[in-house]
C-alpha cells in the first residue's frame, strides 16, 4: 500500500510524504512559496483560491476548477495540479487567459484575479461552445470580485474561451495522460501518530477500512467537511476519502430508474438527469458554483443530513431510494425515511451510502422545482420546493411534494399532497389553492437567510406558481 | 542610451513613447495580478521567527463588563508564545482616528460583540486561531442596544444632533398643494474586500519598527503605533504597496491590527503578523452605516418641491470612528441634485452595541442620496407623473442653485447628462413598453428608473485636503515616484505615473511608482473621499515640474537657448533643431551636479467650511453622472433581476479612460449589491449572523446584466483647475445604483396606482415580497 502522495505539476511528478489528512491544498501552496493563489474566505465561497485539477478521462485529461482552501492535500493523489503560478514563466509571455485579462482591464486590486484566471483556464480547456455570456457567467459564478463589477472579466473570458486551447498544457497533453495513467494506480493509506488518510479504490476496500476505523470521517468532495476544518477548527484525525472508489462513481440507467453512485459529483450527474425535466437541472446548476459542483457529491448532499441541501427534497419528490452498505451487508430504504430529525439519520456505525436510485418519470408527470435564495448563484436556499405531479387530463391524480428549509429535515408536505388530489389545474381561483395546508406540514424558523414568515409565505406562493405553470403547459398541450 | 533588457520597463526610446496622460494604459500591476506575482502583505516572504496572531474576544457577549478573564488555557495551548492584554500596552491604548474612544485592547468593557480583549501570538496561525477560542471569560452582561431605531428611541446618542436649515419667506409648506410623509429603512454594507485585514510588524533593533500593512492611511497607523509605544513618529516606518481592495474599510479600521502586530513585536522582539480570519474580519470591523429616514415634503401639483424636512437616523456602533464626517456627508447629499427651497436636514447619530461603523465608498453620501431618490419616486407616483419628469423639474437650475449648506451649484453638467442618457437608453419608449407589459402580466412586473448623482469632491475636514509626493530621476533616466496615496485597485499609481510621465514627456512605463511609505512622504491624508488623484496627482505633477525646470535650465545651457523654448516630448528634450534624449540629459544633470530629486505639494484651494454655521463651500466641485436601470420582479416570490443598465458619467478630462470606466462599472455593481442582495443580519443579542460569504451575498457575475452600457460624458474638462482637468471617480458611481432601487420601487408601484410602495433596502426577495404584501393588505 502506498503512503506517498503522487501528483503532477509543471509536467513533472511530485512525491509528497508526511501530509496530514486535512492539510489544505491552499496552505500547502502558500507555505511552500506558491503565493499566487490567494485566500479570500477559506470556506469555498469566494473562488480566490481556485486551482485546476486535471484527471484522466479515457486517454484525455479533463480540467476542473476547485477551491484549494477546502481541498485536502492528499486528494491531489493521482491528479495533475495547475495553479496560477504554473501558467506562464517569469519574464515570458503571458498565458492566453492572462493576456485576455490584461487586455480587457479585468483586474483592479488583483486579489481575486488569480482565481478568475484559473476558473477561466478550466473553461478554456473545456467546452468552447459554452463561451457565450451565459456560459461564461456560469463558469465564474463561484468567483467573487469586489472591484470590477465583472463586465471586463466576462468579456475577457468570452474572448479567450471562444478560441481552441493552445498552450503548454495542450502541447504536452499526451505526456500528461501517460504520466497520469502511470501514477493513478493502487490504494493509498497514510498513518502517522493517530492520524490517517485512506483512499480505497473499491467498495470492498472501503467497507473493510471503514470497519477497521469506525470513527473515521468519510470525505467525498469535502465541500462540507472542509469547512469543519477551516471554520470550526475541528481536528479530524482519520479520513477515508471516497473520491477514488470506483463503484461509487458509477452512473447506470435502466428503463425504470437511474442509479447514481454516492460519490458522483454534481458536475458528473448533471448531464444524466435530463430525463427529469429542466427544473432539476436548473436547480443543480445553482448548487454552489463550478468549483463546488466539481467536488461536491450527491451522496454528501444526502449524508450530511442537512435540512437545506438542495437535492434531497427533489429526490424525495421523485421517490428515490438509497442503498446503504456496511461490511458486505447492504440495505435499501426510501430516501425520505433516511432523515429522522435534525442531526439524526438512519445510518449505522461503519455504514456508508453506496448509491441513490431515482425512478424515471411516469407518463403525465411534471417535476417543478424552485430554489429561493438571496442571490441567484452560489447561495444556500432559504426554501427549496419540489413538486412531482401526475395529471390525469388537467386533474391532479397523484403528487409527491417536498420542501427544504421548512423543517428540521427535508420533508414531504403530506397534508398539502392530500389536499391537491383532484385539483383541476386548467381553471382555478388562486383563493382555492390549499396553501393553508402547509401550516399543518411545516413550522419553519427564522434565520439570517429568511424569516419564518417569508418562508411560509413564499412556500405557499410556490404552490400557486407550480399550479399556474402546470396550467400553462396543459393549455399548451391542448393548443 | 540605455539598452533594452527583456521586460524592463525602463524603456524611454522615443519610438515607444505614447502620450501618457489620457491613455487607456493597463493598470501598472496588471501583469502581476494575472500571474499571481503581485505581492500583497501575506505574500511577503516571512522574516525569521515570525509569530502569527489572533484576536481574542468574548464569544457570547455584546454588552457588559468582564468580571473574570482566565487565559491559562490560551497560554497553555500548543505553540503559544505570548498572550497580551490591555495592561501590556506601554502608553496610549487607542486606535481611533480622532476621538480617543477605540481601545486597541479593551480593559474589560464589552461594548459590542467581537471587542478585542487579548491577542494571542503563536508559532503558526492555526495555533493562534485555536488558542484564541480557549479563554474563560465571565461577563456581567448588560442588555445590548442593537438597532438604530431602538437606540434612537432610547435616546442613545453618540454625539449631538446636527442640522442644516433654510427658511425662505415666499414659498414653503403653507403654499404647497400637497404634503406627504415618508420613511425608509436602508441597511448597512460589509466591505468584503477580497484581501482581509492584514499587517506585519518587523522590529528593527530595539528602537525602530517597520510595518507592512494593507491600509488606506499608513500615516495614521504610524502615529497610533508611536503613541502606543511612547515613541516618536520618526521611529516607526509604515509601508503599503497595494491592498486587495479597501473601499473605506481600511481607512481607520486597519489600524487596530497593525497596532496589535506592533505590540507583539515590541514585547517579544520577534516579527509578528496579524491576518484576520474572514469571520473575525466581518465581525470585528465596521461597515457602512445603516440609516432610518423619516421625512415630510411639500410640493405642488407638478411635484415641484417647496419644503423638505428629513431626519436621518444612523447606526454608528460603539464608538465615534468616522461617524461624524459620514453623517455630515449624508446631509450634504440629502439634496442629491435637487433644489429644496425650504429645508431642514437633521442627523441623529445613534450609539449602539454593534461594531463601530466606518467609511465605505460614498461615506454617507449614498444614504443621503437614496432618501432623495426615494422621495422623488414617492412624489411622482402620488401626482401621477413620470418620475424622470419630477426629477427634471426639481434639479438645481438658474435662480435655484444654492445647496442647503450655502454652496452654489456650478459647472452643473447633470441636466445635459440626464437628457443624453434619456435618449441613448431609449427611456420613454421603454417606459411605454413596460407599462404595456405590466398591464398584461399578472405575476411578473417590470420597472425602470433614471436617477442622477451629484457628489461633492473634497474632504469635509479641511486639513485633509493636501497631497504630497517625492520624485527622483536617476542617471539612467528612469523615474521613481512616491506619493501619499495608496493603491487599492483604483489605479492611482498608474494614473499618477501617467501624469508624471506627461511632465517629462516620457512613456508612463518609465515611471516606477513605489510602495507608499511614511519615510518617503510624511503626514499623508488617507486615500479616501475620491481625492487620491486630485491631491496626489497635483502634488506629483508639482514635484515633476520642479525637476523638469532644473533639467530645462541645463538643456538650455547646452543648446544655448532660452529655458522657455525647451520642450519635453517623445522621450526627447528639444529646442529648435537641438535635441537630447531625456535619458542622456538625466546623466548629464548628475555630471553637472544638478539635483534630480524633489518633493511636491498641493493644497486644495477655495474651500471654506464652518461647521458651526453650516454654511460655506466644503467642496471644490461636484462630480456628476446618471444611470438608467430596468428590473423584473416575480411577485409571487419577490425574486428580482436587473435586466439592463445604461450609465453616462462625467469624469472631466480622463487621465485614463479604461481605469475610469472600471471605477464606474465596479462602483455601480458594488452599490447594486448594497441595495439588492447584501443584507447584514444581527441577532437580538447583538451577534452578526452574516459573518461570512456563505451568508453575506455580494453580487456575482450573473447579477450584472449582459446589457450593461457605460459611457463617459464628452466633457470640456473640469472648470476647476484640477489635475489634467479631470473629475474624481472613486465614489460617485456607487450611487448610480440608486436607479436599481428606484426601478424595483417603480415595478412595485404598478401594483398600486397613485400610491407609493413601502420598500426597504436591500431589496431582497423577502423585502420585495413584504412590500407586495403591504400593498395587497391596503387594498
Ligand atoms: C461554497 C459552497 C456552496 C454550496 N452551495 C450549496 C448549494 O447551493 N446547495 C446545496 O445543497 N449545498 C451546497 N453546499 C454544500 C455542499 O456542497 C453539499 O452539501 C455537498 O453535496 C456535499 O458533498 P461533499 O461530497 O462535498 O460532502 P463532504 O463534505 O465530503 O461530506 C459531507 C458529509 O457527508 C458524509 N458523507 C459523504 N459521502 C458519504 C457517503 N457516501 N456515505 C456516508 N457519508 C458520507 C461525510 O462524512 C460528511 O459528514 C455548498 C458548499 C459550499 C462550500
Ligand atoms: S479562499 Fe475563498 S473559496 Fe477558497
Ligand atoms: S479586482 Fe479586486 S476583487 Fe477583483
Amino acid at each position: 500500500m502506498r503512503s506517498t502522495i503522487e501528483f503532477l505539476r509543471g509536467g513533472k511528478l511530485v512525491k509528497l510524504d508526511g501530509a496530514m489528512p486535512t492539510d489544505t491544498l491552499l496552505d500547502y501552496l502558500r507555505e511552500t512559496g506558491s503565493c499566487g493563489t490567494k485566500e479570500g474566505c477559506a470556506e469555498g465561497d469566494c473562488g480566490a483560491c481556485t486551482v485546476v485539477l486535471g484527471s484522466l478521462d479515457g486517454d484525455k485529461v479533463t480540467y476542473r476548477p476547485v477551491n484549494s482552501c477546502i481541498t485536502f492535500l492528499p486528494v491531489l493523489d493521482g491528479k495533475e495540479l495547475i495553479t496560477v503560478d504554473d501558467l506562464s514563466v517569469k519574464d515570458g509571455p503571458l498565458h492566453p487567459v492572462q493576456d485576455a485579462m490584461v487586455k480587457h482591464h479585468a483586474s483592479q486590486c488583483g486579489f481575486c484575479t488569480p482565481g478568475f484566471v484559473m476558473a477561466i483556464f478550466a473553461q478554456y480547456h473545456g467546452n468552447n461552445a459554452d463561451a457565450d455570456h451565459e456560459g461564461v457567467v456560469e463558469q465564474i459564478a463561484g468567483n467573487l470580485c469586489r472591484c470590477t463589477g465583472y463586465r471586463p472579466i466576462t468579456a475577457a473570458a468570452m474572448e479567450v474561451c471562444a478560441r481552441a486551447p493552445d498552450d503548454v498544457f495542450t502541447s504536452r497533453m499526451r505526456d500528461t495522460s501517460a504520466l497520469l495513467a502511470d501514477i493513478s494506480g493502487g490504494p493509498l493509506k497514510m498513518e502517522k501518530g493517530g492520524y490517517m488518510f485512506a483512499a480505497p479504490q473499491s467498495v470492498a476496500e472501503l467497507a473493510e477500512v471503514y470497519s477497521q476505523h469506525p470513527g473515521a470521517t468519510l470525505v467525498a468532495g469535502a465541500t462540507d467537511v472542509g469547512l469543519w476544518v477551516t471554520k470550526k477548527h475541528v481536528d479530524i484525525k482519520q479520513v477515508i476519502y471516497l473520491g477514488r472508489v470506483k463503484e461509487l462513481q458509477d452512473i447506470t440507467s435502466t428503463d425504470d430508474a437511474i442509479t447514481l453512485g454516492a460519490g458522483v459529483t454534481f458536475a458528473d450527474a448533471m448531464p444524466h438527469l435530463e430525463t427529469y425535466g429542466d427544473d432539476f437541472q436548473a436547480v443543480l446548476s445553482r448548487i454552489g458554483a463550478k468549483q463546488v459542483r466539481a467536488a461536491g457529491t450527491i451522496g454528501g448532499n444526502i449524508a450530511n443530513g442537512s435540512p437545506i441541501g438542495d437535492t434531497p427534497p427533489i429526490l424525495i419528490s421523485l421517490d428515490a431510494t438509497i442503498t446503504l452498505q456496511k461490511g458486505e451487508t447492504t440495505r435499501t430504504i426510501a430516501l425520505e425515511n433516511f432523515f429522522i430529525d435534525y442531526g439524526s439519520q438512519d445510518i449505522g456505525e461503519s455504514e456508508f451510502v453506496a448509491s441513490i436510485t431515482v425512478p424515471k418519470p411516469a407518463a403525465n408527470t411534471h417535476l417543478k422545482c424552485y430554489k429561493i435564495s438571496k442571490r441567484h448563484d452560489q447561495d444556500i436556499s432559504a426554501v427549496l420546493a419540489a413538486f412531482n405531479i401526475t395529471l390525469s387530463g388537467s386533474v391532479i391524480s397523484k403528487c409527491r411534494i417536498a420542501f427544504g428549509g421548512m423543517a428540521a429535515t427535508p420533508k414531504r408536505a403530506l397534508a398539502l399532497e392530500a389536499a391537491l388530489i383532484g385539483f383541476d389545474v386548467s381553471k382555478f381561483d388562486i383563493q382555492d389553492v390549499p396553501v393553508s395546508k402547509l401550516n399543518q406540514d411545516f413550522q419553519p424558523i427564522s434565520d439570517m437567510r429568511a424569516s419564518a414568515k417569508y418562508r411560509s409565505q413564499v412556500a405557499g406562493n410556490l404552490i400557486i406558481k407550480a399550479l399556474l405553470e402546470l396550467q400553462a403547459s396543459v393549455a399548451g398541450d391542448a393548443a | 542610451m540605455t539598452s533594452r533588457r527583456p521586460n524592463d520597463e525602463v524603456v524611454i526610446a522615443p519610438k515607444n513613447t505614447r502620450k501618457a496622460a489620457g491613455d487607456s494604459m493597463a493598470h501598472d500591476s496588471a501583469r502581476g495580478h494575472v500571474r499571481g506575482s503581485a505581492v500583497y502583505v501575506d505574500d511577503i516572504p516571512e522574516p525569521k521567527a515570525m509569530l502569527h496572531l489572533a484576536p481574542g474576544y468574548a464569544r457570547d457577549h455584546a454588552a457588559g463588563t468582564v468580571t473574570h478573564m482566565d487565559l491559562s488555557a490560551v497560554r497553555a495551548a500548543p505553540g503559544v508564545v505570548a498572550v497580551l492584554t490591555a495592561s501590556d500596552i506601554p502608553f496610549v491604548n487607542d486606535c481611533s482616528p480622532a476621538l480617543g474612544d477605540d481601545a486597541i485592547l479593551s480593559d474589560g468593557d464589552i461594548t459590542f460583540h467581537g471587542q478585542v480583549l487579548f491577542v494571542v501570538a503563536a508559532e503558526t496561525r492555526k495555533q493562534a486561531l485555536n488558542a484564541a477560542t480557549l479563554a474563560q471569560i465571565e461577563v456581567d452582561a448588560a442588555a445590548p442596544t442593537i438597532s438604530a431605531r431602538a437606540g434612537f428611541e432610547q435616546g442613545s446618542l453618540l454625539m449631538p444632533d446636527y442640522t442644516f436649515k433654510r427658511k425662505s419667506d415666499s414659498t414653503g409648506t403653507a403654499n404647497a398643494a400637497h404634503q406627504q410623509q415618508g420613511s425608509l429603512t436602508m441597511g448597512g454594507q460589509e466591505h468584503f474586500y477580497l484581501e482581509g485585514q492584514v499587517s506585519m510588524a518587523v522590529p528593527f533593533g530595539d528602537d525602530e519598527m517597520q510595518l507592512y500593512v494593507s491600509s488606506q492611511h499608513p500615516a495614521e497607523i504610524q502615529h497610533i503605533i508611536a503613541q502606543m509605544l511612547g515613541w516618536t513618529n520618526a521611529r516607526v516606518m509604515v509601508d503599503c504597496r497595494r491592498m486587495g481592495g479597501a473601499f473605506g474599510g481600511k481607512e481607520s479600521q486597519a489600524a487596530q491590527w497593525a497596532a496589535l502586530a506592533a505590540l507583539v513585536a515590541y514585547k517579544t522582539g520577534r516579527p509578528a503578523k496579524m491576518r484576520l480570519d474572514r469571520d473575525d474580519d466581518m465581525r470585528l470591523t465596521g461597515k457602512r452605516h445603516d440609516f432610518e429616514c423619516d421625512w415630510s415634503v411639500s410640493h405642488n401639483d407638478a411635484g415641484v418641491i417647496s419644503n423638505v424636512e428629513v431626519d436621518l437616523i444612523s447606526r454608528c456602533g460603539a464608538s465615534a470612528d468616522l461617524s461624524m464626517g459620514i453623517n455630515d456627508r449624508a446631509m450634504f447629499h440629502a439634496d442629491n441634485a435637487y433644489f429644496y427651497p425650504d429645508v431642514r436636514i437633521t442627523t441623529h447619530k445613534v450609539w449602539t452595541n454593534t461594531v463601530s461603523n466606518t467609511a465605505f465608498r460614498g461615506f454617507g453620501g449614498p444614504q443621503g442620496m437614496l432618501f432623495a431618490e426615494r422621495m422623488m419616486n414617492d412624489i411622482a407616483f402620488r401626482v401621477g407623473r413620470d418620475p424622470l419628469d419630477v426629477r427634471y423639474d426639481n434639479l438645481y437650475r438658474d435662480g435655484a442653485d444654492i445647496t442647503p449648506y450655502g454652496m452654489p451649484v456650478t459647472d452643473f453638467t447633470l441636466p445635459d447628462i440626464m437628457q443624453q442618457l434619456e435618449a441613448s437608453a431609449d427611456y420613454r419608449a421603454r417606459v411605454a413598453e413596460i407599462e404595456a407589459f405590466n398591464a398584461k402580466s399578472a405575476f411578473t412586473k417590470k420597472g425602470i428608473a433614471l436617477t442622477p448623482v451629484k457628489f461633492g469632491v473634497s474632504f469635509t475636514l479641511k486639513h485633509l485636503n493636501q497631497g504630497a509626493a517625492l520624485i527622483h530621476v536617476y542617471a539612467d533616466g528612469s523615474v521613481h515616484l512616491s506619493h501619499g496615496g495608496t493603491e487599492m485597485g483604483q489605479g492611482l499609481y498608474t494614473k499618477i505615473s501617467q501624469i508624471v510621465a506627461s511632465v517629462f514627456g516620457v512613456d508612463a512605463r518609465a515611471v516606477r511608482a513605489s510602495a507608499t511609505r511614511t519615510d518617503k512622504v510624511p503626514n499623508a491624508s488617507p486615500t479616501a473621499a475620491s481625492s487620491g488623484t486630485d491631491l496626489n496627482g497635483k502634488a506629483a505633477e508639482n514635484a515633476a515640474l520642479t525637476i523638469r525646470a532644473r533639467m530645462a535650465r541645463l538643456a538650455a545651457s547646452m543648446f544655448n537657448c532660452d529655458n522657455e523654448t525647451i520642450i519635453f516630448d517623445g522621450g526627447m528634450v528639444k529646442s529648435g533643431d537641438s535635441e537630447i534624449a531625456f535619458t542622456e540629459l538625466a546623466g548629464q544633470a548628475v555630471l553637472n551636479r544638478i539635483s534630480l530629486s524633489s518633493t511636491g505639494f498641493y493644497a486644495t484651494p477655495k474651500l471654506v467650511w464652518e461647521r458651526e454655521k453650516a454654511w460655506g463651500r466644503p467642496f471644490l466641485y461636484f462630480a456628476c453622472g446618471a444611470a438608467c436601470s430596468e428590473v423584473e420582479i416575480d411577485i409571487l416570490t419577490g425574486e428580482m433581476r436587473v435586466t439592463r443598465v445604461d450609465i453616462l458619467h462625467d469624469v472631466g478630462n480622463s487621465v485614463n479612460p479604461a481605469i475610469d470606466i472600471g471605477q464606474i462599472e465596479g462602483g455601480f455593481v458594488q452599490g447594486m449589491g448594497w441595495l439588492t442582495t447584501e443584507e447584514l443580519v444581527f441577532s437580538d443579542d447583538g451577534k452578526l449572523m452574516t459573518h461570512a460569504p456563505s451568508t453575506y451575498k455580494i453580487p456575482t457575475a450573473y447579477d450584472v446584466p449582459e446589457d450593461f452600457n457605460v459611457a463617459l460624458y464628452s466633457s470640456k474638462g473640469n472648470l476647476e483647475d484640477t489635475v489634467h482637468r479631470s473629475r474624481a471617480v472613486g465614489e460617485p458611481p456607487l450611487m448610480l445604483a440608486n436607479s436599481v432601487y428606484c426601478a424595483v420601487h417603480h415595478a412595485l408601484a404598478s401594483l398600486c396606482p397613485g400610491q407609493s410602495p413601502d420598500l426597504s433596502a436591500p431589496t431582497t426577495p423577502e423585502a420585495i415580497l413584504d412590500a407586495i404584501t403591504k400593498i395587497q393588505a391596503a387594498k
Side-chain angles (χ1 to χ4, degrees), chain A residues 303-354:
Chain A
N304 68 13
S306 164
I308 48 177
D310 282 334
T311 59
I314 301 175
L315 293 169
I316 288 172
S317 79
L318 289 168
D319 206 5
T321 56
I322 60 171
T323 299
L324 298 129
Q325 180 168 350
K326 174 183 174 150
E328 285 169 9
T329 315
T330 62
R331 63 189 175 105
T332 297
I333 60 170
L335 176 59
E336 62 174 307
N337 296 331
F338 177 72
F339 300 100
I340 300 167
D341 204 343
Y342 187 77
S344 164
Q345 296 88 40
D346 180 7
I347 190 165
E349 190 180 270
S350 293
E351 194 172 36
F352 57 91
V353 179

Side-chain angles (χ1 to χ4, degrees), chain A residues 403 406 433 435 438 455-465:
Chain A
F403 282 83
M406 294 290 286
V433 176
V435 284
L438 274 184
R455 285 192 160 101
S456 294
Q457 193 180 358
V458 83
N461 285 357
L462 287 173
I463 306 170
I464 297 168
K465 196 172 168 72

Side-chain angles (χ1 to χ4, degrees), chain A residues 30 38-40 43 91 98 107-109 146-147 150-151 231 374-375 378 451 454 457 461 465, chain B residues 7 33-34 40 43 190-191 278-279 634 636-637 662 665-666 678-679 694 697-699 766 773:
Chain A
R30 295 190 56 81
K38 308 298 179 202
E39 178 184 310
E43 60 168 51
D91 294 343
Q98 295 171 322
S107 70
Q108 287 184 22
C109 81
R146 195 51 152 168
C147 298
Y150 302 100
R151 208 265 322 141
K231 291 282 133 169
K374 279 184 202 167
R375 188 174 71 192
Q378 183 126 302
S451 69
Y454 175 74
Q457 193 180 358
N461 285 357
K465 196 172 168 72
Chain B
N7 277 298
H33 292 156
V34 299
Y40 303 80
D43 303 335
E190 157 64 34
H191 302 85
R278 179 60 70 178
D279 303 69
D634 179 329
L636 287 172
T637 62
E665 291 171 343
E678 296 182 36
E679 186 176 28
S694 51
K697 311 312 282 186
I698 72 167
E766 177 157 359
T773 308

Side-chain angles (χ1 to χ4, degrees), chain A residues 30 35-36 38-41 43 45 84-85 88-92 94 98 101-102 105 107-111 113-114 117 133 137 140-141 144 146-152 231 233 371-379 430 448-451 453-454 457-458 461-462 465 468, chain B residues 7 24-27 31 33-36 40 42-43 130 189-192 194-195 243-245 247 275 278-279 443 488-489 634 636-637 639 658 662-663 665-666 669-670 677-679 689-690 692-695 697-704 706 708 765-766 769-770 773:
Chain A
R30 295 190 56 81
C35 288
K38 308 298 179 202
E39 178 184 310
C41 69
E43 60 168 51
D45 255 294
V84 72
D85 294 312
S88 56
V89 292
K90 197 164 158 184
D91 294 343
L94 296 175
Q98 295 171 322
M101 290 284 282
V102 172
H105 302 276
S107 70
Q108 287 184 22
C109 81
F111 202 81
T113 313
V117 166
H133 189 266
V137 158
I140 61 174
L144 300 179
R146 195 51 152 168
C147 298
T148 62
Y150 302 100
R151 208 265 322 141
K231 291 282 133 169
H233 306 291
K371 172 171 176 157
I372 304 293
S373 53
K374 279 184 202 167
R375 188 174 71 192
H376 183 270
D377 280 324
Q378 183 126 302
D379 197 359
I430 285 179
M448 61 283 191
R449 297 204 167 86
S451 69
K453 178 174 159 241
Y454 175 74
Q457 193 180 358
V458 83
N461 285 357
L462 287 173
K465 196 172 168 72
L468 286 167
Chain B
N7 277 298
S24 281
M25 67 181 284
H27 192 284
R31 285 175 62 92
H33 292 156
V34 299
R35 298 188 59 237
Y40 303 80
D42 198 43
D43 303 335
N130 279 335
Q189 187 179 23
E190 157 64 34
H191 302 85
F192 209 83
L194 261 281
E195 176 211 36
M243 288 168 266
F247 315 111
R275 174 164 71 83
R278 179 60 70 178
D279 303 69
F443 298 102
M488 58 195 98
D634 179 329
L636 287 172
T637 62
E639 291 164 293
Q663 288 298 298
E665 291 171 343
V669 172
Q670 200 171 62
T677 54
E678 296 182 36
E679 186 176 28
M689 305 307 288
T690 48
S694 51
T695 48
K697 311 312 282 186
I698 72 167
T700 66
Y702 175 92
D703 301 304
V704 179
E706 185 175 1
F708 185 19
E766 177 157 359
L769 195 60
D770 194 46
T773 308

Side-chain angles (χ1 to χ4, degrees), chain A residues 121-191:
Chain A
F121 172 88
Q123 187 170 29
Y124 178 68
H125 280 276
N127 188 354
N128 300 30
D130 287 343
D132 58 1
H133 189 266
E134 196 187 337
V136 161
V137 158
E138 188 180 334
Q139 184 70 22
I140 61 174
N143 293 77
L144 300 179
C145 175
R146 195 51 152 168
C147 298
T148 62
Y150 302 100
R151 208 265 322 141
I153 302 175
T154 309
M158 284 171 69
E159 183 191 295
V160 69
C161 293
R163 305 207 292 263
D166 178 16
D167 60 9
V168 56
F169 301 93
T170 48
S171 59
R172 66 170 181 236
M173 180 68 79
R174 205 178 279 239
D175 295 346
T176 306
S177 39
L179 280 165
L180 280 177
D182 224 30
I183 61 170
S184 288
L188 175 79
K189 190 168 179 185
M190 307 185 296
E191 286 187 275

